[in-house]
Amino acid sequence: MKTALLFGSSGLVGGHLLNQLIKDTNYSKIKLFVRSDAEISDPKVEIIKTDFNSLENHKEDIKGDDCFFCIGTTKHNSPDKDDYRRVELEIPKEVAQIAKSNLVNSFIFVSALYANPKSSGEYIRFKGQVEEELKELNFPKLAILRPSFLIGDRKEKRVSEMIGIFVFKLLSPLLLGPLKKMKPIHSETVAKAMIAVIQNDIQQHTLESNEIVEVFKN
C-alpha cells in the first residue's frame, strides 16, 4: 500500500485526481498539502496545512511513494511578479528537490502546452524551466504532462479561456498530425492519466496532450 503526495488538490485537475486517488486501492494514504483547511473527510486523507514560503519546514511531511504536482496560477490571481514566479517556478522546483532528497519514487507534474525554458512568455518559460529541473533530479519515475485547453467546471470563469476552448472545439476535426496536441482535453482525463503513467510501464518522460489521451485509453 502506497502513500500519495498531492499538491494542488483544489484545482481543476487536482480535484479530479484526489477523487481518483481516494478510490484507488493501491494507496492507503493521501497527503494533501494545502494553504488553508480543506473541506474533505476521508480516512485515507491527511491534510497538511502548508506554508509554501517555508517548504523546508515541511521536509518531514514530504515523504511517500508518488508525488503529484498540479499547482498553478494566473496573472489575474497573482498580479505580483514575484508571487507569480514563486508559484509557477520556485515552489514546484523546491517541492521536487525535497521529494528527491526524501527518496520519493515518482514525480508527476502538470506542465503546459509548448512549455519551453527559452520562451519569451513567462508562463511557458517557467513551466519549461521546471521540466528541466525535474529531469536533472533523476527520479526513478518521472512524468511530465502537457495538457492543452482544459475542459471542466472551474470555480472561476475565465472568459478568454472559454472562448479559446470553444474555438478549438470547432477546429478539432482540422487539428491533425503535429496539431493534434492542441485539441482541448478534459481535466478528468488528465487526472486519470497521471495515475496510469505510474501503474503502467511507460518510459516516455514527456506526454503531449494527445498522448495523455492515449495513456488513459490504455
Side-chain angles (χ1 to χ4, degrees), residues 21-111:
L21 289 170
I22 288 173
K23 291 186 288 186
D24 195 317
T25 55
N26 291 305
Y27 295 95
S28 59
K29 180 185 282 190
I30 305 158
K31 292 183 180 180
L32 287 192
F33 295 84
V34 295
R35 294 183 187 275
S36 55
D37 293 329
E39 295 179 6
I40 181 168
S41 178
D42 187 278
K44 289 174 69 170
V45 175
E46 177 185 350
I47 297 172
I48 300 171
K49 201 167 180 179
T50 308
D51 180 357
F52 285 91
N53 291 316
S54 301
L55 283 166
E56 272 297 319
N57 294 338
H58 298 283
K59 189 167 184 177
E60 289 303 306
D61 297 317
I62 305 176
K63 289 182 176 180
D65 298 283
D66 305 319
C67 185
F68 300 90
F69 196 95
C70 315
I71 290 177
T73 188
T74 63
K75 290 287 184 68
H76 175 74
N77 289 334
S78 300
D80 182 87
K81 292 186 71 171
D82 291 337
D83 286 346
Y84 185 76
R85 178 185 176 88
R86 174 136 188 87
V87 173
E88 290 292 349
L89 179 63
E90 303 302 339
I91 289 176
K93 287 173 63 174
E94 195 171 346
V95 168
Q97 289 161 0
I98 295 172
K100 176 63 178 180
S101 71
N102 284 337
L103 303 179
V104 172
N105 186 66
S106 305
F107 200 94
I108 316 301
F109 177 64
V110 177
S111 185

Side-chain angles (χ1 to χ4, degrees), residues 115-134:
N116 184 340
K118 297 180 180 178
S119 173
S120 58
E122 283 187 332
Y123 178 71
I124 299 301
R125 183 171 73 251
F126 289 160
K127 293 294 189 187
Q129 289 173 350
V130 174
E131 289 185 6
E132 293 302 305
E133 174 71 15
L134 292 176

